[in-house]
Amino acid sequence: MTDPATATTAPATALAITRVPRTPLMPVSFMQQERLETGRDTQLVNNKIAVGVRFDGPLDIGLLEKCVSFVGSRHESLRTTFPVTDEGYVLRIGADTGVALRVFTARGATRELRLADALRVLSDDACRDYDLSAGPLFRAAVARVDENVHVLCLAMDHIIIDAWSVRVMIDDMLAAYTAHAAGREPDLPALPVQFPDYVAWERGYLGGPALDRLVGYWRKQLDGIDAIPSSGLVDPAMAGGSGRPPRLVKLARPLGHQLAADIKGLAQSEGTSVTGVVSAAVKATMWKHRRTTMGDEQAGDVATFGSLANRARPETQRLVGYLSTVTTLRTVFRGENTFREVVALDARTLWNALRHQRIPHSLIMKEIGSPLYGARYRDPKAMPSYMNFDFDLLETTQEPLRPPPGLAARVVTIPNPEVPRGGLRIIGYQMDGGMTLELRYRDDRFSAGWAAGFMGDLHRLLAQVSEDPETKLNKIF
């Protein structure tokens, strides 16, 4: 069975993403190929994205449907499907037939009850299964809370979109609504390239010397660990498991305005980012807990799992698709290192990952021969226990939405029954000048007491090193 990507893609360079001819069946990206090979028919909640927008004011639902269809028309990725053919795994761009907007009416005696019902109904609707072969993979629904409150849900299969793209979609939709409400056609900049063009570039660029160079870097970086790295963290209290299906539990820890300001000050003084300081602190805290089951040297070989936007080229800034890639961030240090030294080491780790992010993690695993290829698309209970650190939210302070005149709009969370995968995830938020760190953990692997202890250690370390970054790790713990 021939992969059409290898037969139709011209050579590419690191600096050229250009438009390619459209054909009925086009190549898929390496990330999409991993999903199609290992989890085409697996329906995991983690593979579904649902984003909500709350509108306050007199919303025109008919006009909203027109604007959602405009977004589907503007971005080819939202109209793609992945049929099974004799030619291999392919991407098909669907016809521009519009997007049907499902309409629900929330129930409840009060606005608060109706809003909760709206979110529940939209969540249930968003979690419906997707058919990757036939589509549609982009759906929309709106729930009417009352005449002046509506919640829109844009639901997509993850195979066609990443988090960066979501804000692009919302901005385009609101701009279209503003224009149509004023009797004008939307006046948005033309898109120089679309996702199929990016795929053609990726397939062409990641071959020959470029592929060898990038794989060589990651082969060296991952020597001795898995491409999906084990956190090395265990909770002795959960050695026998919980005996029930795993649930996701969230534990948020606000750092306070003063500590947040101190962390930003430390980042500036060290010539790094808030992400770099918090990442180093997370790894130092992991080192402390890893020492309960391993020696100091092994405990200091710490790797986390994260995501990179992979949007280095200007023509990809407004592109809707799945360009982001997960990455392994490995840093080696000892208890004798000062926190300042750990920050410098970890900053180098992140910088090198950014320099080598053009190769997606799926291709790294395939080239290195990892048996974990496709693990993220299979049964989450079989996933290795890793620490995921989402750092983008610590740095990204997006501008508020620009709603049409007469309406207020803001992003709201659509409840998502997320399936626990790696076991541990830390997300950082900047809110109102302060900072919050949230630990999400699987309750079949970690207890509430262990989670509270880990977050307490992380908070204590940040408070101490913000005052004295020359403190050695073995003097903190």
Side-chain angles (χ1 to χ4, degrees):
M1 189 163 64
T2 302
D3 187 339
T6 61
T8 63
T9 303
T13 70
L15 300 180
I17 302 177
T18 57
R19 193 165 179 84
V20 297
R22 298 302 188 256
T23 60
L25 302 176
M26 303 193 71
V28 301
S29 71
F30 290 110
M31 181 285 304
Q32 290 169 336
Q33 181 177 347
E34 181 187 17
R35 168 81 180 277
L36 294 169
E37 287 180 346
T38 63
R40 166 185 283 275
D41 299 316
T42 303
Q43 296 287 338
L44 297 178
V45 176
N46 307 66
N47 294 335
K48 301 172 183 179
I49 292 180
V51 59
V53 181
R54 172 174 168 166
F55 293 95
D56 289 83
L59 181 71
D60 185 332
I61 291 181
L63 180 54
L64 180 65
E65 182 175 41
K66 182 177 181 179
C67 296
V68 172
S69 292
F70 168 81
V71 172
S73 174
R74 178 171 167 80
H75 300 287
E76 291 178 344
S77 182
L78 301 177
R79 293 184 276 115
T80 56
T81 53
F82 303 89
V84 180
T85 74
D86 292 337
E87 300 301 319
Y89 301 103
V90 296
L91 179 154
R92 176 178 291 162
I93 303 172
D96 182 10
T97 58
V99 180
L101 182 65
R102 295 162 60 87
V103 181
F104 300 99
T105 299
R107 301 180 182 277
T110 66
R111 174 179 284 184
E112 288 72 20
L113 290 174
R114 291 192 298 274
L115 182 58
D117 184 62
L119 295 175
R120 179 190 60 78
V121 169
L122 292 173
S123 175
D124 290 344
D125 187 68
C127 286
R128 288 185 294 127
D129 289 348
Y130 289 92
D131 184 337
L132 298 186
S133 296
L137 305 183
F138 171 43
R139 305 191 294 239
V142 64
R144 182 182 184 275
V145 178
D146 57 40
E147 62 181 9
N148 284 313
V149 177
H150 296 78
V151 180
L152 170 71
C153 177
L154 303 175
M156 299 138 285
D157 191 285
H158 207 340
I159 197 171
I160 65 170
I161 198 165
D162 58 19
W164 183 292
S165 302
V166 169
R167 179 58 189 264
V168 175
M169 292 173 52
I170 295 174
D171 287 346
D172 287 356
M173 179 189 68
L174 295 177
Y177 193 106
T178 298
H180 285 306
R184 305 182 275 105
E185 288 298 314
D187 184 23
L188 292 173
L191 297 172
V193 295
Q194 298 253 2
F195 187 70
D197 305 308
Y198 170 80
V199 174
W201 169 85
E202 180 188 67
R203 288 282 183 174
Y205 174 64
L206 293 176
L211 178 61
D212 292 341
R213 175 177 59 82
L214 291 167
V215 169
Y217 167 79
W218 286 109
R219 190 183 303 276
K220 181 179 179 181
Q221 184 70 7
L222 300 177
D223 183 34
I225 65 171
D226 288 329
I228 302 179
S230 170
S231 68
L233 299 172
V234 295
D235 179 358
M238 302 298 293
S242 64
R244 62 173 183 273
R247 296 180 305 155
L248 186 72
V249 182
K250 302 177 183 180
L251 176 62
R253 185 72 183 258
L255 301 185
H257 291 277
Q258 186 57 57
L259 181 53
D262 291 343
I263 292 171
K264 291 178 183 178
L266 175 60
Q268 291 173 352
S269 67
E270 297 304 312
T272 187
S273 63
V274 171
T275 290
V277 172
V278 176
S279 175
V282 169
K283 288 181 176 177
T285 306
M286 291 174 66
W287 166 81
K288 185 257 189 184
H289 285 256
R290 285 161 58 96
R291 291 174 69 205
T292 62
T293 59
M294 61 185 75
D296 182 76
E297 183 172 352
Q298 184 182 2
D301 187 351
V302 184
T304 56
F305 212 38
S307 295
L308 300 174
N310 197 20
R311 301 271 180 162
R313 291 293 304 162
E315 60 266 36
T316 64
Q317 297 300 299
R318 304 298 296 176
L319 191 154
V320 168
Y322 197 164
L323 281 70
S324 69
T325 181
V326 293
T327 190
T328 302
L329 299 168
R330 183 185 191 182
T331 306
V332 181
F333 53 90
R334 302 285 299 273
E336 288 297 317
N337 285 114
T338 67
F339 184 72
R340 172 171 281 142
E341 290 170 336
V342 178
V343 168
L345 290 168
D346 201 50
R348 189 179 308 146
T349 295
L350 180 56
W351 172 245
N352 283 331
L354 290 169
R355 289 180 58 219
H356 297 87
Q357 67 180 315
R358 286 193 174 100
I359 180 171
H361 187 260
S362 56
L363 185 54
I364 293 170
M365 288 197 294
K366 196 160 196 175
E367 289 292 320
I368 293 178
S370 170
L372 292 173
Y373 181 77
R376 296 190 306 129
Y377 304 113
R378 297 194 290 264
D379 183 358
K381 291 182 292 187
M383 281 292 291
S385 184
Y386 62 84
M387 169 69 83
N388 188 291
F389 176 45
D390 288 328
F391 40 82
D392 287 344
L393 292 176
L394 283 172
E395 304 297 333
T396 304
T397 52
Q398 291 182 329
E399 295 181 0
L401 298 181
R402 298 180 180 178
L407 286 175
R410 59 186 175 91
V411 175
V412 296
T413 300
I414 302 296
N416 184 348
E418 184 179 346
V419 179
R421 286 205 275 199
L424 295 165
R425 182 182 184 188
I426 288 184
I427 303 175
Y429 304 92
Q430 288 198 67
M431 302 175 62
D432 301 324
M435 188 184 302
T436 295
L437 299 180
E438 179 181 277
L439 175 66
R440 299 182 179 184
Y441 62 95
R442 281 176 55 157
D443 72 344
D444 63 325
R445 293 183 179 178
F446 300 95
S447 64
W450 185 94
F454 185 91
M455 292 300 281
D457 287 336
L458 177 58
H459 185 278
R460 179 161 59 93
L461 180 144
L462 284 167
Q464 185 164 341
V465 299
S466 294
E467 294 182 358
D468 182 11
E470 284 295 330
T471 306
K472 294 183 177 181
L473 297 188
N474 55 19
K475 300 298 183 182
I476 300 174
F477 297 125

